[in-house]
PDB file of all heavy atoms in Angstrom:
ATOM      1  N   ASN S  86       0.117 -23.014  22.509  1.00 87.00           N
ATOM      2  CA  ASN S  86       0.517 -22.550  23.934  1.00 87.00           C
ATOM      3  C   ASN S  86      -0.687 -22.356  24.817  1.00 87.00           C
ATOM      4  O   ASN S  86      -0.581 -21.583  25.781  1.00 87.00           O
ATOM      5  CB  ASN S  86       1.365 -21.319  23.839  1.00 87.00           C
ATOM      6  CG  ASN S  86       2.692 -21.508  23.116  1.00 87.00           C
ATOM      7  OD1 ASN S  86       3.319 -22.575  23.234  1.00 87.00           O
ATOM      8  ND2 ASN S  86       3.015 -20.541  22.293  1.00 87.00           N
ATOM      9  N   ILE S  87      -1.793 -23.035  24.530  1.00 90.00           N
ATOM     10  CA  ILE S  87      -2.959 -22.984  25.432  1.00 90.00           C
ATOM     11  C   ILE S  87      -2.780 -23.879  26.662  1.00 90.00           C
ATOM     12  O   ILE S  87      -3.177 -23.567  27.740  1.00 90.00           O
ATOM     13  CB  ILE S  87      -4.269 -23.378  24.675  1.00 90.00           C
ATOM     14  CG1 ILE S  87      -4.421 -22.368  23.497  1.00 90.00           C
ATOM     15  CG2 ILE S  87      -5.418 -23.402  25.569  1.00 90.00           C
ATOM     16  CD1 ILE S  87      -5.658 -22.674  22.650  1.00 90.00           C
ATOM     17  N   ILE S  88      -2.109 -25.025  26.413  1.00 88.00           N
ATOM     18  CA  ILE S  88      -1.730 -25.934  27.457  1.00 88.00           C
ATOM     19  C   ILE S  88      -0.312 -26.230  27.324  1.00 88.00           C
ATOM     20  O   ILE S  88       0.362 -25.916  26.337  1.00 88.00           O
ATOM     21  CB  ILE S  88      -2.520 -27.219  27.482  1.00 88.00           C
ATOM     22  CG1 ILE S  88      -2.340 -27.968  26.134  1.00 88.00           C
ATOM     23  CG2 ILE S  88      -4.040 -26.949  27.699  1.00 88.00           C
ATOM     24  CD1 ILE S  88      -3.059 -29.272  26.071  1.00 88.00           C
ATOM     25  N   ASP S  89       0.277 -26.845  28.343  1.00 86.00           N
ATOM     26  CA  ASP S  89       1.741 -27.136  28.273  1.00 86.00           C
ATOM     27  C   ASP S  89       2.020 -28.388  29.109  1.00 86.00           C
ATOM     28  O   ASP S  89       1.351 -28.637  30.101  1.00 86.00           O
ATOM     29  CB  ASP S  89       2.546 -25.933  28.830  1.00 86.00           C
ATOM     30  CG  ASP S  89       4.068 -26.126  28.617  1.00 86.00           C
ATOM     31  OD1 ASP S  89       4.450 -26.744  27.593  1.00 86.00           O
ATOM     32  OD2 ASP S  89       4.792 -25.840  29.603  1.00 86.00           O
ATOM     33  N   GLY S  90       3.019 -29.174  28.605  1.00 82.00           N
ATOM     34  CA  GLY S  90       3.468 -30.304  29.410  1.00 82.00           C
ATOM     35  C   GLY S  90       2.772 -31.614  29.122  1.00 82.00           C
ATOM     36  O   GLY S  90       2.883 -32.582  29.800  1.00 82.00           O
ATOM     37  N   PHE S  91       1.985 -31.675  28.015  1.00 86.00           N
ATOM     38  CA  PHE S  91       1.281 -32.872  27.657  1.00 86.00           C
ATOM     39  C   PHE S  91       1.962 -33.652  26.516  1.00 86.00           C
ATOM     40  O   PHE S  91       2.045 -34.913  26.524  1.00 86.00           O
ATOM     41  CB  PHE S  91      -0.162 -32.591  27.275  1.00 86.00           C
ATOM     42  CG  PHE S  91      -0.995 -32.189  28.445  1.00 86.00           C
ATOM     43  CD1 PHE S  91      -1.024 -30.901  28.881  1.00 86.00           C
ATOM     44  CD2 PHE S  91      -1.786 -33.146  29.068  1.00 86.00           C
ATOM     45  CE1 PHE S  91      -1.831 -30.529  29.981  1.00 86.00           C
ATOM     46  CE2 PHE S  91      -2.573 -32.794  30.136  1.00 86.00           C
ATOM     47  CZ  PHE S  91      -2.607 -31.516  30.631  1.00 86.00           C
ATOM     48  N   VAL S  92       2.380 -32.943  25.486  1.00 85.00           N
ATOM     49  CA  VAL S  92       3.015 -33.623  24.353  1.00 85.00           C
ATOM     50  C   VAL S  92       4.311 -32.880  23.908  1.00 85.00           C
ATOM     51  O   VAL S  92       4.641 -32.823  22.753  1.00 85.00           O
ATOM     52  CB  VAL S  92       2.059 -33.715  23.154  1.00 85.00           C
ATOM     53  CG1 VAL S  92       1.009 -34.810  23.385  1.00 85.00           C
ATOM     54  CG2 VAL S  92       1.387 -32.404  22.822  1.00 85.00           C
ATOM     55  N   THR S  93       4.954 -32.298  24.924  1.00 82.00           N
ATOM     56  CA  THR S  93       6.178 -31.486  24.564  1.00 82.00           C
ATOM     57  C   THR S  93       7.264 -32.292  23.911  1.00 82.00           C
ATOM     58  O   THR S  93       7.879 -31.875  22.877  1.00 82.00           O
ATOM     59  CB  THR S  93       6.746 -30.875  25.877  1.00 82.00           C
ATOM     60  OG1 THR S  93       5.694 -30.167  26.583  1.00 82.00           O
ATOM     61  CG2 THR S  93       7.853 -29.916  25.575  1.00 82.00           C
ATOM     62  N   PHE S  94       7.498 -33.502  24.393  1.00 79.00           N
ATOM     63  CA  PHE S  94       8.518 -34.343  23.800  1.00 79.00           C
ATOM     64  C   PHE S  94       8.158 -34.725  22.353  1.00 79.00           C
ATOM     65  O   PHE S  94       9.026 -34.738  21.468  1.00 79.00           O
ATOM     66  CB  PHE S  94       8.719 -35.648  24.620  1.00 79.00           C
ATOM     67  CG  PHE S  94       9.739 -36.577  24.047  1.00 79.00           C
ATOM     68  CD1 PHE S  94      11.094 -36.395  24.206  1.00 79.00           C
ATOM     69  CD2 PHE S  94       9.286 -37.693  23.313  1.00 79.00           C
ATOM     70  CE1 PHE S  94      11.984 -37.289  23.661  1.00 79.00           C
ATOM     71  CE2 PHE S  94      10.199 -38.549  22.768  1.00 79.00           C
ATOM     72  CZ  PHE S  94      11.548 -38.380  22.944  1.00 79.00           C
ATOM     73  N   TYR S  95       6.920 -35.062  22.094  1.00 80.00           N
ATOM     74  CA  TYR S  95       6.465 -35.444  20.795  1.00 80.00           C
ATOM     75  C   TYR S  95       6.604 -34.310  19.798  1.00 80.00           C
ATOM     76  O   TYR S  95       7.056 -34.521  18.700  1.00 80.00           O
ATOM     77  CB  TYR S  95       4.968 -35.893  20.854  1.00 80.00           C
ATOM     78  CG  TYR S  95       4.396 -36.271  19.514  1.00 80.00           C
ATOM     79  CD1 TYR S  95       4.625 -37.539  19.002  1.00 80.00           C
ATOM     80  CD2 TYR S  95       3.593 -35.403  18.786  1.00 80.00           C
ATOM     81  CE1 TYR S  95       4.147 -37.936  17.765  1.00 80.00           C
ATOM     82  CE2 TYR S  95       3.039 -35.808  17.611  1.00 80.00           C
ATOM     83  CZ  TYR S  95       3.322 -37.058  17.072  1.00 80.00           C
ATOM     84  OH  TYR S  95       2.814 -37.410  15.862  1.00 80.00           O
ATOM     85  N   LEU S  96       6.336 -33.084  20.198  1.00 82.00           N
ATOM     86  CA  LEU S  96       6.408 -31.993  19.278  1.00 82.00           C
ATOM     87  C   LEU S  96       7.891 -31.665  18.939  1.00 82.00           C
ATOM     88  O   LEU S  96       8.178 -31.160  17.844  1.00 82.00           O
ATOM     89  CB  LEU S  96       5.726 -30.730  19.888  1.00 82.00           C
ATOM     90  CG  LEU S  96       4.232 -30.825  20.051  1.00 82.00           C
ATOM     91  CD1 LEU S  96       3.698 -29.560  20.722  1.00 82.00           C
ATOM     92  CD2 LEU S  96       3.564 -30.953  18.692  1.00 82.00           C
ATOM     93  N   ARG S  97       8.764 -31.855  19.880  1.00 78.00           N
ATOM     94  CA  ARG S  97      10.168 -31.519  19.639  1.00 78.00           C
ATOM     95  C   ARG S  97      11.009 -32.587  18.952  1.00 78.00           C
ATOM     96  O   ARG S  97      11.981 -32.326  18.276  1.00 78.00           O
ATOM     97  CB  ARG S  97      10.810 -31.158  21.011  1.00 78.00           C
ATOM     98  CG  ARG S  97      10.224 -29.862  21.643  1.00 78.00           C
ATOM     99  CD  ARG S  97      11.023 -29.491  22.833  1.00 78.00           C
ATOM    100  NE  ARG S  97      10.508 -28.257  23.468  1.00 78.00           N
ATOM    101  CZ  ARG S  97      11.008 -27.641  24.488  1.00 78.00           C
ATOM    102  NH1 ARG S  97      12.118 -28.121  25.073  1.00 78.00           N
ATOM    103  NH2 ARG S  97      10.466 -26.545  25.004  1.00 78.00           N
ATOM    104  N   GLU S  98      10.620 -33.843  19.213  1.00 71.00           N
ATOM    105  CA  GLU S  98      11.491 -34.924  18.776  1.00 71.00           C
ATOM    106  C   GLU S  98      10.917 -35.907  17.794  1.00 71.00           C
ATOM    107  O   GLU S  98      11.557 -36.458  16.976  1.00 71.00           O
ATOM    108  CB  GLU S  98      11.909 -35.737  20.005  1.00 71.00           C
ATOM    109  CG  GLU S  98      12.692 -34.913  21.084  1.00 71.00           C
ATOM    110  CD  GLU S  98      14.017 -34.360  20.647  1.00 71.00           C
ATOM    111  OE1 GLU S  98      14.559 -34.875  19.710  1.00 71.00           O
ATOM    112  OE2 GLU S  98      14.446 -33.391  21.247  1.00 71.00           O
ATOM    113  N   ALA S  99       9.565 -36.088  17.810  1.00 66.00           N
ATOM    114  CA  ALA S  99       8.989 -37.253  17.198  1.00 66.00           C
ATOM    115  C   ALA S  99       8.672 -37.075  15.724  1.00 66.00           C
ATOM    116  O   ALA S  99       9.269 -37.719  14.814  1.00 66.00           O
ATOM    117  CB  ALA S  99       7.778 -37.693  17.928  1.00 66.00           C
ATOM    118  N   ASP S 100       7.804 -36.117  15.351  1.00 69.00           N
ATOM    119  CA  ASP S 100       7.231 -36.043  14.051  1.00 69.00           C
ATOM    120  C   ASP S 100       7.395 -34.576  13.519  1.00 69.00           C
ATOM    121  O   ASP S 100       6.546 -33.743  13.920  1.00 69.00           O
ATOM    122  CB  ASP S 100       5.778 -36.485  14.015  1.00 69.00           C
ATOM    123  CG  ASP S 100       5.241 -36.680  12.618  1.00 69.00           C
ATOM    124  OD1 ASP S 100       5.948 -36.400  11.710  1.00 69.00           O
ATOM    125  OD2 ASP S 100       4.082 -37.127  12.528  1.00 69.00           O
ATOM    126  N   PRO S 101       8.256 -34.285  12.591  1.00 71.00           N
ATOM    127  CA  PRO S 101       8.388 -32.902  12.067  1.00 71.00           C
ATOM    128  C   PRO S 101       7.187 -32.453  11.295  1.00 71.00           C
ATOM    129  O   PRO S 101       6.905 -31.263  11.232  1.00 71.00           O
ATOM    130  CB  PRO S 101       9.635 -32.939  11.163  1.00 71.00           C
ATOM    131  CG  PRO S 101       9.767 -34.425  10.786  1.00 71.00           C
ATOM    132  CD  PRO S 101       9.294 -35.206  11.969  1.00 71.00           C
ATOM    133  N   HIS S 102       6.444 -33.377  10.753  1.00 75.00           N
ATOM    134  CA  HIS S 102       5.273 -32.953   9.960  1.00 75.00           C
ATOM    135  C   HIS S 102       4.178 -32.278  10.816  1.00 75.00           C
ATOM    136  O   HIS S 102       3.511 -31.362  10.345  1.00 75.00           O
ATOM    137  CB  HIS S 102       4.655 -34.315   9.366  1.00 75.00           C
ATOM    138  CG  HIS S 102       3.170 -34.112   9.063  1.00 75.00           C
ATOM    139  ND1 HIS S 102       2.175 -34.612   9.941  1.00 75.00           N
ATOM    140  CD2 HIS S 102       2.494 -33.593   7.994  1.00 75.00           C
ATOM    141  CE1 HIS S 102       0.978 -34.389   9.406  1.00 75.00           C
ATOM    142  NE2 HIS S 102       1.141 -33.708   8.230  1.00 75.00           N
ATOM    143  N   ILE S 103       4.128 -32.659  12.107  1.00 79.00           N
ATOM    144  CA  ILE S 103       3.083 -32.105  12.908  1.00 79.00           C
ATOM    145  C   ILE S 103       3.289 -30.614  13.202  1.00 79.00           C
ATOM    146  O   ILE S 103       2.296 -29.918  13.559  1.00 79.00           O
ATOM    147  CB  ILE S 103       3.036 -32.907  14.267  1.00 79.00           C
ATOM    148  CG1 ILE S 103       1.604 -32.894  14.850  1.00 79.00           C
ATOM    149  CG2 ILE S 103       4.022 -32.354  15.259  1.00 79.00           C
ATOM    150  CD1 ILE S 103       0.583 -33.602  14.050  1.00 79.00           C
ATOM    151  N   ASN S 104       4.465 -30.093  12.995  1.00 79.00           N
ATOM    152  CA  ASN S 104       4.752 -28.700  13.274  1.00 79.00           C
ATOM    153  C   ASN S 104       4.563 -27.833  12.020  1.00 79.00           C
ATOM    154  O   ASN S 104       4.784 -26.646  12.081  1.00 79.00           O
ATOM    155  CB  ASN S 104       6.173 -28.521  13.791  1.00 79.00           C
ATOM    156  CG  ASN S 104       6.294 -29.080  15.244  1.00 79.00           C
ATOM    157  OD1 ASN S 104       5.514 -28.761  16.096  1.00 79.00           O
ATOM    158  ND2 ASN S 104       7.343 -29.849  15.420  1.00 79.00           N
ATOM    159  N   THR S 105       4.136 -28.374  10.896  1.00 79.00           N
ATOM    160  CA  THR S 105       3.837 -27.558   9.764  1.00 79.00           C
ATOM    161  C   THR S 105       2.418 -26.985   9.956  1.00 79.00           C
ATOM    162  O   THR S 105       1.627 -27.473  10.763  1.00 79.00           O
ATOM    163  CB  THR S 105       3.900 -28.380   8.453  1.00 79.00           C
ATOM    164  OG1 THR S 105       2.928 -29.467   8.507  1.00 79.00           O
ATOM    165  CG2 THR S 105       5.282 -29.004   8.308  1.00 79.00           C
ATOM    166  N   ALA S 106       2.064 -26.021   9.090  1.00 79.00           N
ATOM    167  CA  ALA S 106       0.727 -25.479   9.135  1.00 79.00           C
ATOM    168  C   ALA S 106      -0.320 -26.526   8.800  1.00 79.00           C
ATOM    169  O   ALA S 106      -1.372 -26.593   9.376  1.00 79.00           O
ATOM    170  CB  ALA S 106       0.572 -24.254   8.195  1.00 79.00           C
ATOM    171  N   HIS S 107       0.053 -27.426   7.839  1.00 82.00           N
ATOM    172  CA  HIS S 107      -0.861 -28.495   7.451  1.00 82.00           C
ATOM    173  C   HIS S 107      -1.066 -29.495   8.588  1.00 82.00           C
ATOM    174  O   HIS S 107      -2.201 -29.806   8.948  1.00 82.00           O
ATOM    175  CB  HIS S 107      -0.267 -29.226   6.209  1.00 82.00           C
ATOM    176  CG  HIS S 107      -1.091 -30.401   5.767  1.00 82.00           C
ATOM    177  ND1 HIS S 107      -0.900 -31.690   6.285  1.00 82.00           N
ATOM    178  CD2 HIS S 107      -2.124 -30.571   4.933  1.00 82.00           C
ATOM    179  CE1 HIS S 107      -1.783 -32.516   5.695  1.00 82.00           C
ATOM    180  NE2 HIS S 107      -2.482 -31.862   4.915  1.00 82.00           N
TER     181      HIS S 107
END
Side-chain angles (χ1 to χ4, degrees):
N86 297 320
I87 299 175
I88 60 176
D89 187 39
F91 287 85
V92 287
T93 307
F94 177 80
Y95 179 79
L96 292 176
R97 294 187 179 181
E98 304 293 340
D100 191 357
H102 155 263
I103 207 67
N104 289 311
T105 64
H107 177 270

